[in-house]
Amino acid sequence: MTEIVPTRELENLIRNETRPVLIDVFAEWCPPCKALAPLIDKMSAELKDQVRIVKMDSDDSHAGDPAIPNPLANFMAATGTRTIPTLALFENGQFLDIYRGNNRTQAAITAWMEKTLGRKLNEPSVAPPLHDYAIIFNNVAGTPEEKMASISKFFNQEASPELARVFLAQRARIVGASEDADGSGDIGLIFRTTDDVAKQIAKIIPDKKIIGVSAPPQPLP
């Protein structure tokens, strides 16, 4: 049987898995999902050395507390998932694509994965390594919540559409925040991406400092 991953654990799985990750979004009440399940079980067993194949229950919203981000909603927004079953492919922490074909056979899905990855499944990854960077916001006053609100305002109202597209396309994933201990009011929004994309972001917002991050980021409040 294919492993079912709780939505709250999905981000860590995608981020830390060295193999490509194929996620089957399903629901117990969904007849097409049940029809696809035997094929997913077969592929997860046969391709386990090349691809991490897991299932995610679309009814496992992990919602209820408005202070806790809804990982299912984040996943749906990031991948553009609208229906189930949906197969979503990730590699090196980055969302690549969802399978849009009607031919749900192992050969067709494998061919799609190889085309999307740009290599055969038994070949080494060609994906560039990801690193943590911080966009530094200087002298931000207020409580931690007010500081995060200022950063949210920057992305929602002040940042260019070009910067928003970089993050919405999942070429950069916001993973946490850090605050200077010297009381300066500086705060860094931590994002994970490739070196090239970090350089692009630095050009898009030249008035903000982009630095590499060595310490683990703190979860967003």
Side-chain angles (χ1 to χ4, degrees):
M1 296 293 290
T2 306
E3 174 188 7
I4 299 176
V5 177
T7 56
R8 63 183 179 276
E9 298 176 10
L10 194 63
E11 176 70 25
N12 282 335
L13 184 150
I14 292 169
R15 186 186 305 166
N16 298 321
E17 178 58 59
T18 57
R19 295 164 290 178
V21 179
L22 181 67
I23 300 172
D24 172 24
V25 186
F26 79 105
E28 294 291 350
W29 47 263
C30 166
C33 300
K34 292 182 178 179
L36 184 62
L39 174 61
I40 296 300
D41 289 342
K42 181 174 180 287
M43 292 180 63
S44 65
E46 293 183 359
L47 301 176
K48 63 181 180 181
D49 294 332
Q50 301 164 353
V51 183
R52 177 85 177 269
I53 299 179
V54 298
K55 298 169 72 79
M56 184 183 73
D57 190 340
S58 62
D59 288 333
D60 178 22
S61 65
H62 192 57
D65 185 347
I68 299 176
N70 184 334
L72 179 63
N74 291 345
F75 175 90
M76 296 292 194
T79 61
T81 297
R82 297 291 181 269
T83 60
I84 55 174
T86 286
L87 300 177
L89 184 64
F90 292 76
E91 186 179 33
N92 201 19
Q94 301 290 78
F95 167 63
L96 299 181
D97 200 4
I98 59 175
Y99 183 68
R100 305 176 192 277
N102 294 321
N103 184 7
R104 290 175 178 167
T105 64
Q106 182 165 340
I109 295 171
T110 299
W112 163 74
M113 286 194 290
E114 292 181 338
K115 180 179 179 181
T116 304
L117 294 167
R119 61 179 174 85
K120 297 292 185 182
L121 294 182
N122 59 1
E123 294 176 348
S125 173
V126 296
L130 300 179
H131 302 286
D132 285 346
Y133 291 89
I135 302 175
I136 304 300
F137 295 79
N138 294 318
N139 305 313
V140 182
T143 65
E145 292 77 13
E146 290 169 338
K147 292 180 179 182
M148 292 308 300
S150 296
I151 293 176
S152 296
K153 180 182 177 182
F154 168 81
F155 276 94
N156 293 332
Q157 299 179 20
E158 300 169 17
S160 70
E162 185 181 3
L163 177 63
R165 284 195 293 269
V166 170
F167 283 91
L168 287 174
Q170 293 298 297
R171 287 184 288 137
R173 298 173 66 83
I174 297 175
V175 297
S178 65
E179 188 173 4
D180 280 356
D182 60 8
S184 66
D186 291 357
I187 185 168
L189 185 69
I190 313 299
F191 61 98
R192 179 164 294 132
T193 191
T194 64
D195 292 337
D196 287 346
V197 172
K199 291 176 182 177
Q200 293 176 26
I201 293 172
K203 292 179 181 178
I204 294 171
I205 48 171
D207 58 321
K208 299 287 188 295
K209 189 176 181 181
I210 309 295
I211 64 169
V213 179
S214 55
Q218 299 298 314
L220 291 170

